[in-house]
Amino acid sequence: MPKNKRINNRALDIGCAVGGSAFELSTSFQHVEAFDYRCIYQTHAPYSSELFIQTARIMQQEHKVFFKLPMEGDICEHATAVLPILNPSCTNSNFGSIRFFVGDACNMPSIQQLGTFDAILCSNLLCRLPDPMAFLGALPNYLNIGGVVLFVSPYSWLEEYTLSSS
């Protein structure tokens, strides 16, 4: 989206995981709101949104995070993910302008709390919501006129996330 067409130069990353897309969005937008999905209706958690957000905040503050990669059985390799903060091509990065939080895409914060956005990214999300129509119905309220919404999804529609009736 051209900068001269933006209303408030804000982006929203829904399904941000550990923040990779949010960090990238911060190179083009002045402010990014980023949350990973916690479904209050789900009885089992295939991953921990709280851990994802905690990791994103560590990356934001320290510009790197250490982790283990499982290789085989109990064998792991140690690895480091590093933000390209010293990369000359990222001179316009604004990593400190990102607010990471755990949220529920089917029960989004009010517009007064969250605001509106010139760009909304929905990553690996739609087919994992218990009520995708509620999310899709609310989404336009958060988008500025002329804004852009991008969906990235495997469209797997597994019953453990979304009932076929939904």
Side-chain angles (χ1 to χ4, degrees):
M1 162 176 248
K3 289 185 180 183
N4 63 345
K5 301 284 185 184
R6 295 181 186 171
I7 292 176
N8 60 7
N9 210 19
R10 299 178 75 230
L12 175 62
D13 183 358
I14 306 173
C16 70
V18 296
S21 295
F23 290 118
E24 188 61 36
L25 285 167
S26 77
T27 66
S28 297
F29 291 87
Q30 283 182 331
H31 182 78
V32 178
E33 295 280 334
F35 72 90
D36 199 67
Y37 179 62
R38 176 189 59 211
C39 177
I40 58 174
Y41 311 107
Q42 228 169 284
T43 56
H44 68 285
Y47 58 84
S48 171
S49 293
E50 288 84 2
L51 185 57
F52 281 174
I53 296 302
Q54 179 184 22
T55 302
R57 289 176 180 155
I58 291 168
M59 182 73 97
Q60 183 179 35
Q61 292 170 0
E62 299 178 16
H63 305 147
K64 62 184 172 185
V65 67
F66 302 100
F67 60 98
K68 292 180 184 177
L69 287 171
M71 301 309 284
E72 182 179 343
D74 292 338
I75 301 170
C76 293
E77 284 189 17
H78 294 272
T80 306
V82 180
L83 282 179
I85 198 144
L86 300 176
N87 183 337
S89 68
C90 287
T91 55
N92 61 341
S93 64
N94 196 11
F95 300 143
S97 71
I98 306 168
R99 182 174 76 103
F100 290 106
F101 62 100
V102 175
D104 183 346
C106 291
N107 187 22
M108 302 241 308
S110 71
I111 293 174
Q112 292 78 18
Q113 292 173 312
L114 196 56
T116 59
F117 302 90
D118 291 318
I120 300 175
L121 172 62
C122 307
S123 301
N124 202 20
L125 175 81
L126 193 60
C127 62
R128 294 192 171 38
L129 298 175
D131 191 354
M133 293 306 293
F135 170 70
L136 291 172
L139 196 60
N141 298 319
Y142 297 89
L143 188 65
N144 291 330
I145 294 172
V148 176
V149 176
L150 175 64
F151 287 97
V152 179
S153 177
Y155 298 108
S156 53
W157 301 110
L158 300 174
E159 284 276 331
E160 63 194 79
Y161 300 109
T162 310
L163 296 178
S164 59
S165 61
S166 297

